[in-house]
Amino acid sequence: GQQLNQSPQSMFIQEGEDVSMNCTSSSIFNTWLWYKQDPGEGPVLLIALYKAGELTSNGRLTAQFGITRKDSFLNISASIPSDVGIYFCAGASGNTPLVFGKGTRLSVIA
Amino acid sequence: DTGVSQNPRHKITKRGQNVTFRCDPISEHNRLYWYRQTLGQGPEFLTYFQNEAQLEKSRLLSDRFSAERPKGSFSTLEIQRTEQGDSAMYLCASSLGLSGPAEKLFFGSGTQLSVL
């Protein structure tokens, strides 16, 4: 089946720093989505990508659909304490349901 | 609140008991999904519906699991003869249903199941 690898698994950063995380797939995807999940809650959609090379922003968040269609990147600029949480990438190809990575746990030190 | 609603939020049960969860999707969404999430993992797909039709089921969905969406609105997920390995967060999501099953999913807050 399709496998998604997210890295890093966790990261600790100072408030104000920029953050980068990525997701790679064992197969080609035609959809990449990025979600954030807080403890005890469901994932919340941040950004959706549908085209190779696409770069999309949502406030301080920017995500890119990799040219190879096997990877995607999420950047957070000028992190703040409320950015704390687990960030998941999700991808799919054809008519398959979304497959999720294992997440990147972000901690922000004030 | 017009988001995806799940009930109950928490369920504690003894091994061998049956449990049922309910999901109310966003009203104009035709598609409804069930995912399962265990600690330290991402959500794993279980099944999804287009209106009342169940279109796909994962191999994770053993014969003890059954999902229904009888009128194409709310859905229920039942687990019979629960096992400790069923302990997880069960997430429901919905989408417009205008393209493939990989379109934007909007999740509820989940039902946390603990099997003792």
Side-chain angles (χ1 to χ4, degrees):
Chain A
Q2 294 168 330
Q3 302 263 340
L4 287 185
N5 294 308
Q6 272 191 259
S7 66
Q9 286 187 325
S10 62
M11 51 196 318
F12 292 82
I13 60 168
Q14 293 277 350
E15 184 177 355
E17 287 184 352
D18 296 343
V19 174
S20 291
M21 59 189 79
N22 68 77
C23 194
T24 58
S25 167
S26 57
S27 55
I28 290 174
F29 281 170
N30 54 27
T31 299
W32 284 100
L33 304 177
W34 284 91
Y35 286 84
K36 178 176 182 272
Q37 187 174 30
D38 292 328
E41 297 295 329
V44 174
L45 181 64
L46 300 174
I47 294 178
L49 303 161
Y50 297 103
K51 188 176 177 181
E54 181 181 356
L55 188 72
T56 297
S57 293
N58 178 7
R60 294 178 296 106
L61 278 62
T62 302
Q64 184 163 25
F65 193 139
I67 292 293
T68 66
R69 298 172 64 192
K70 288 187 175 184
D71 55 10
S72 181
F73 309 88
L74 176 70
N75 296 313
I76 305 173
S77 62
S79 58
I80 59 178
S82 62
D83 290 333
V84 165
I86 304 177
Y87 291 80
F88 290 99
C89 63
S93 58
N95 284 320
T96 61
L98 283 176
V99 174
F100 283 76
K102 292 186 177 183
T104 293
R105 183 181 295 272
L106 178 64
S107 300
V108 179
I109 303 167
Chain B
D1 185 11
T2 57
V4 177
S5 176
Q6 290 190 247
N7 288 288
R9 288 295 309 275
H10 304 275
K11 179 69 176 178
I12 300 173
T13 191
K14 291 183 179 179
R15 189 176 51 189
Q17 297 294 306
N18 299 344
V19 294
T20 300
F21 311 139
R22 176 179 169 126
C23 174
D24 289 89
I26 294 171
S27 58
E28 62 267 29
H29 284 184
N30 293 323
R31 219 168 264 158
L32 186 149
Y33 307 75
W34 286 98
Y35 278 76
R36 182 176 72 184
Q37 186 178 25
T38 53
L39 202 61
Q41 303 294 317
E44 296 173 295
F45 170 76
L46 293 178
T47 188
Y48 86 97
F49 294 82
Q50 173 80 37
N51 298 314
E52 65 274 9
Q54 188 171 17
L55 295 188
E56 188 169 341
K57 292 193 286 187
S58 160
R59 284 172 294 185
L60 292 175
L61 211 66
S62 77
D63 56 6
R64 296 185 298 105
F65 288 68
S66 63
E68 294 183 343
R69 195 183 183 198
K71 297 181 180 178
S73 56
F74 73 91
S75 175
T76 58
L77 177 68
E78 180 184 18
I79 309 174
Q80 295 182 326
R81 305 180 303 282
T82 53
E83 302 173 354
Q84 288 183 325
D86 296 331
S87 296
M89 171 83 89
Y90 289 84
L91 292 163
C92 176
S94 68
S95 68
L96 282 170
L98 299 179
S99 56
E103 58 184 3
K104 296 177 188 177
L105 301 191
F106 296 87
F107 284 88
S109 296
T111 294
Q112 182 66 52
L113 173 65
S114 298
V115 182
L116 305 179

